[in-house]
Amino acid sequence: MGCVGLPTIYILALEVCEIKHRSVVGILIGLPWAFGTMAWGGVAFQVRDWRWLQRCVTSPFALYIPLLFIMDESPRWLIVRGQFDRARRVLQRAARWNKTQLPSEEALNNLMLDIRGELVEPEKPVLKEKQNRRWTSLKTPALCRTRSLRIINFIFSLNHFISELVFYGLSLSGSNYSADPFIYIVLGGLMEIPGFSLTAPIINRFGRKWPTIWGYVLSGIAILLLVFIPDNIQWLVMTLAMLGKLCNSGAFMIIFVYITEVLPTEVRLQGVSAAIMTSKVGAMVAPYVTDYVGPLVPWAPSVIFGVSSVVAGVALLPMHETLNVPMPDTIEDVPDITLKPTLFRKKPELKVDEVEELNKEPA
C-alpha cells in the first residue's frame, strides 16, 4: 500500500486532471480516507483481536486489484519518458470519452517534442585526461539537482513529517482526551470530512499557500490551548482536540495538492515519495510521544504537537503559489525559490536612471 497506493495513484489522478478541476479533485480524492478512519472505530469495537482486525480491514484490497489493469498510464509521464505513441493513444482515448478534439497530429507531436527536448542535455566535450581516469564521480540525484528543488523537498518533507506526527499523535491520544477511545476515533474521522471537503472551495478561491499556513497555525493554537484546560472540563478538551484534528487534516490534504503541483513531472513521484517517507517517520515517533513522554509530563505532548504545527506553517512562507498555474514538466520549469519569506521581502529599489526612463514613458 505504501509503494503503489498513496503516492502513485494520487499523482496519476492530478497529472491527468484539468487545471480548473485540480483543487476539487486533489482534495476530494482523499475524502474516503476520512470514512476509513471512522470505520476503524466501529470495526475495532466489534473485532478486538488485532489479527482478525487486520484481516477485516485489508480484505477489500482484493476488489481493488482488478481495477489496476484497466487504468491508463499518465500521458505526462509517457511524454517525459519519450513514449509518444503510448501517450498519443491515451490522449485520443481521453478525448473520445470527453467528446473533445485534440490538436492536429503534427501540433501534438511538436508539443511532445518540445517537452521532451527540455530534458535532453547537450553533450559536453570530454577532455582526454578525464577519459583516462579510472574512477567516475557520483551523479547528483535529479531530485537534488537545483537549489530550488532542494528547498522544496526540505520544506515539504518537514511538513509531511509534522503532519503525520500531529495526526497520529492526536489519534493515539484517545485515552488522554476522551473517556471512550472508540468514540474518539470515530469523531476524529468525522472531523476529517469537513477538513477534506471544505478545503476544496477554499483553495480554489484563495490558493494553496496561505490556507495551508493558517491550517497548521490554527491547529497548533488549538492544541497548545489544551495545556491550560483542566481535565475535568471534558467537553472543552474534546472540542479543542477535534478542532486541532480538523485543521491538521485540512492542511495535510492541501499539502498533497501543493507538492504535486510544485514538483515537475520529471521527479514528481520521487519527491512525493520522499516526503511520504519522512511522514511515516513522524507516524513512528508519535506513539513514543503519547505513550512515553505523556505519562511522565502530561502537558508535553500537547506542547510538542502544537509547536510543531506552528513550525510547519511558518516553514511554508518561502514557497510560491500554484493556483491556476500549469504543472511543471521539467526541472527547468521550477521557479527560483529563496529561503527568505516572501512576506518580508523588500521591493527592489529603482536606480535614478531607471526612474527617469519610467517618467519619460507616456501614461
Side-chain angles (χ1 to χ4, degrees), residues 38-173:
M38 295 175 62
W40 261 106
V43 176
F45 181 78
Q46 299 293 332
V47 183
R48 299 302 179 93
D49 182 77
W50 71 269
R51 291 180 177 85
W52 279 104
L53 179 62
Q54 292 294 327
R55 293 188 183 104
C56 290
V57 299
T58 55
S59 56
F61 272 104
L63 303 175
Y64 180 70
I65 294 176
L67 300 177
L68 298 175
F69 295 95
I70 63 175
M71 293 175 61
D72 287 317
E73 185 55 81
S74 166
R76 284 179 175 271
W77 183 85
L78 292 173
I79 293 172
V80 168
R81 294 293 177 178
Q83 302 180 31
F84 296 162
D85 292 336
R86 289 183 60 190
R88 189 181 300 106
R89 289 195 295 269
V90 174
L91 292 173
Q92 290 172 348
R93 188 180 299 112
R96 186 171 64 253
W97 288 351
N98 292 280
K99 298 179 181 180
T100 186
Q101 186 70 28
L102 284 176
S104 64
E105 185 173 349
E106 182 181 358
L108 190 60
N109 285 336
N110 291 335
L111 178 62
M112 292 189 291
L113 287 171
D114 289 341
I115 296 174
R116 176 62 180 168
E118 296 178 8
L119 298 172
V120 180
E121 298 180 357
E123 295 184 0
K124 298 180 181 179
V126 182
L127 299 177
K128 292 182 179 181
E129 56 267 20
K130 289 187 176 180
Q131 291 178 339
N132 296 329
R133 291 180 181 177
R134 296 182 179 180
W135 57 271
T136 57
S137 58
L138 295 176
K139 187 177 181 181
T140 304
L143 197 59
C144 303
R145 188 174 300 168
T146 65
R147 182 172 180 268
S148 294
L149 275 180
R150 291 192 292 269
I151 294 175
I152 289 173
N153 287 303
F154 172 77
I155 292 175
F156 281 100
S157 295
L158 177 64
N159 273 262
H160 276 73
F161 172 83
I162 293 176
S163 294
E164 295 249 342
L165 173 68
V166 176
F167 178 87
Y168 284 104
L170 291 175
S171 298
L172 296 174
S173 299

Side-chain angles (χ1 to χ4, degrees), residues 132-339:
N132 296 329
R133 291 180 181 177
R134 296 182 179 180
W135 57 271
T136 57
S137 58
L138 295 176
K139 187 177 181 181
T140 304
L143 197 59
C144 303
R145 188 174 300 168
T146 65
R147 182 172 180 268
S148 294
L149 275 180
R150 291 192 292 269
I151 294 175
I152 289 173
N153 287 303
F154 172 77
I155 292 175
F156 281 100
S157 295
L158 177 64
N159 273 262
H160 276 73
F161 172 83
I162 293 176
S163 294
E164 295 249 342
L165 173 68
V166 176
F167 178 87
Y168 284 104
L170 291 175
S171 298
L172 296 174
S173 299
S175 58
N176 298 328
Y177 300 145
S178 174
D180 192 329
F182 298 101
I183 294 179
Y184 180 84
I185 286 292
V186 174
L187 290 177
L190 186 63
M191 289 298 101
E192 293 178 43
I193 294 178
F196 291 166
S197 57
L198 294 181
T199 51
I202 291 176
I203 68 172
N204 199 34
R205 174 66 177 83
F206 299 103
R208 283 71 163 132
K209 177 179 177 178
W210 286 106
T212 311
I213 291 175
W214 281 110
Y216 281 126
V217 171
L218 291 177
S219 175
I221 293 174
I223 298 171
L224 286 173
L225 288 177
L226 290 170
V227 179
F228 307 100
I229 305 301
D231 294 336
N232 55 356
I233 310 179
Q234 193 65 43
W235 66 269
L236 185 55
V237 173
M238 177 72 81
T239 301
L240 290 174
M242 291 298 103
L243 179 61
K245 187 74 173 293
L246 186 151
C247 295
N248 177 267
S249 299
F252 187 44
M253 203 64 240
I254 302 174
I255 277 292
F256 272 104
V257 180
Y258 205 175
I259 187 174
T260 306
E261 292 179 341
V262 167
L263 290 172
T265 306
E266 188 178 356
V267 293
R268 184 171 292 124
L269 180 58
Q270 297 95 310
V272 174
S273 300
I276 292 176
M277 182 183 67
T278 58
S279 73
K280 299 311 170 187
V281 177
M284 291 188 292
V285 174
Y288 294 94
V289 176
T290 57
D291 296 342
Y292 289 93
V293 178
L296 296 176
V297 186
W299 50 265
S302 297
V303 172
I304 293 173
F305 299 146
V307 172
S308 298
S309 293
V310 175
V311 171
V314 174
L316 283 170
L317 287 175
M319 292 303 304
H320 59 278
E321 184 55 66
T322 59
L323 177 63
N324 296 328
V325 176
M327 297 173 72
D329 287 314
T330 65
I331 293 177
E332 287 72 17
D333 295 336
V334 178
D336 293 332
I337 298 175
T338 176
L339 287 177

Side-chain angles (χ1 to χ4, degrees), residues 18 255 347 350:
E18 203 172 353
I255 277 292
K347 295 182 179 179
L350 296 177

